[in-house]
Amino acid sequence: TQLLEQSPQFLSIQEGENLTVYCNSSSVFSSLQWYRQEPGEGPVLLVTVVTGGEVKKLKRLTFQFGDARKDSSLHITAAQTGDTGLYLCAGGWSTSGTYKYIFGTGTRLKVLA
Amino acid sequence: DADVTQTPRNRITKTGKRIMLECSQTKGHDRMYWYRQDPGLGLRLIYYSFDVKDINKGEISDGYSVSRQAQAKFSLSLESAIPNQTALYFCATSERDIRKRGEQFFGPGTRLTVL
């Protein structure tokens, strides 16, 4: 069974601090996405990574896909209160001719002013 | 206007009642999904549809049914609601393009409470 474990589950930091969120699995994914979800809304896609070792930047957010495509990290530089939300990773893989997709349980981030 | 809409946004119902949640999209995507979200359990797939004639069960389909009325519409039904179906329900869409199949676009969700 494919599982995506995210750590930490909860994170509360002061504005201006840096942080890293991790997404780990024992299995290989063909692609991995990161989403952010705010209260009362659906998840919003932030980025897709597909190549082992790939690094993508979105303003103050840096996403990295592990070399073996089993894990990923999200690093936020100089966090702002607007970064508060639930961060979800999700990964897909093909098996027996079908495509499977699962979500991690999420990291809930609170950035304090 | 939102690309993926869900109705209703909130619903309180009683055990045993039949409930239908509706989803519409203007993104032109072929693929549509229904998820439920519970605290500590993340998003779990209930059903998915790759086109109007292709509907598949997800990991937690028991107690649910779906209907894909058109490319743009995908409904989720709870035939006889029970309290442990209390959750946030999300509809999502994605493109047919194999390179983009992991990129999903979500509606705003329906908060369902079963008493």
Side-chain angles (χ1 to χ4, degrees):
Chain A
T1 304
Q2 294 274 63
L3 288 173
L4 268 175
E5 297 182 349
Q6 288 188 242
S7 61
Q9 279 189 288
F10 301 96
L11 189 55
S12 181
I13 61 171
Q14 293 294 131
E15 199 168 30
E17 292 183 356
N18 301 332
L19 67 116
T20 302
V21 173
Y22 300 92
C23 175
N24 293 291
S25 175
S26 58
S27 302
V28 177
F29 291 96
S30 58
S31 71
L32 190 140
Q33 283 75 33
W34 284 93
Y35 295 81
R36 179 169 65 211
Q37 184 180 13
E38 299 187 24
E41 300 181 11
V44 175
L45 180 67
L46 295 175
V47 77
T48 294
V49 286
V50 295
T51 305
E54 183 176 4
V55 176
K56 282 192 173 179
K57 292 192 175 185
L58 184 65
K59 296 183 181 178
R60 294 174 294 100
L61 278 59
T62 302
F63 305 86
Q64 183 160 8
F65 202 13
D67 290 342
R69 290 184 289 129
K70 293 182 179 182
D71 55 84
S72 181
S73 64
L74 158 60
H75 181 79
I76 301 179
T77 303
Q80 299 176 357
T81 55
D83 295 327
T84 292
L86 178 66
Y87 289 81
L88 297 163
C89 63
W93 74 100
S94 293
T95 178
S96 304
T98 62
Y99 182 72
K100 304 287 187 183
Y101 194 70
I102 59 169
F103 281 82
T105 52
T107 293
R108 193 167 295 280
L109 172 64
K110 186 167 187 178
V111 182
L112 305 170
Chain B
D1 289 338
D3 295 317
V4 184
T5 57
Q6 292 183 235
T7 56
R9 293 294 314 277
N10 289 282
R11 183 71 183 268
I12 299 174
T13 191
K14 294 182 179 180
T15 297
K17 294 291 188 181
R18 183 177 188 274
I19 297 295
M20 179 180 286
L21 309 183
E22 300 190 0
C23 177
S24 294
Q25 54 113 348
T26 58
K27 297 189 75 67
H29 289 169
D30 289 318
R31 301 181 175 203
M32 298 186 74
Y33 311 81
W34 275 105
Y35 291 91
R36 65 176 280 175
Q37 186 175 39
D38 300 275
L41 294 177
L43 282 158
R44 293 181 292 165
L45 184 63
I46 305 172
Y47 270 94
Y48 61 103
S49 170
F50 285 172
D51 63 41
V52 175
K53 297 181 181 179
D54 182 9
I55 292 178
N56 305 277
K57 293 182 178 180
E59 65 176 296
I60 54 164
S61 59
D62 286 349
Y64 302 94
S65 63
V66 291
S67 173
R68 184 84 184 265
Q69 301 94 324
Q71 188 208 34
K73 295 184 183 296
F74 193 34
S75 301
L76 175 71
S77 294
L78 288 66
E79 299 301 326
S80 179
I82 56 177
N84 77 359
Q85 291 178 312
T86 293
L88 265 173
Y89 289 84
F90 288 101
C91 173
T93 72
S94 69
E95 292 186 40
R96 178 191 295 270
D97 186 339
I98 194 170
R99 294 167 298 180
K100 293 184 177 292
R101 58 189 173 182
E103 299 180 352
Q104 299 192 10
F105 297 85
F106 285 81
T110 295
R111 183 173 294 278
L112 177 66
T113 302
V114 183
L115 302 176

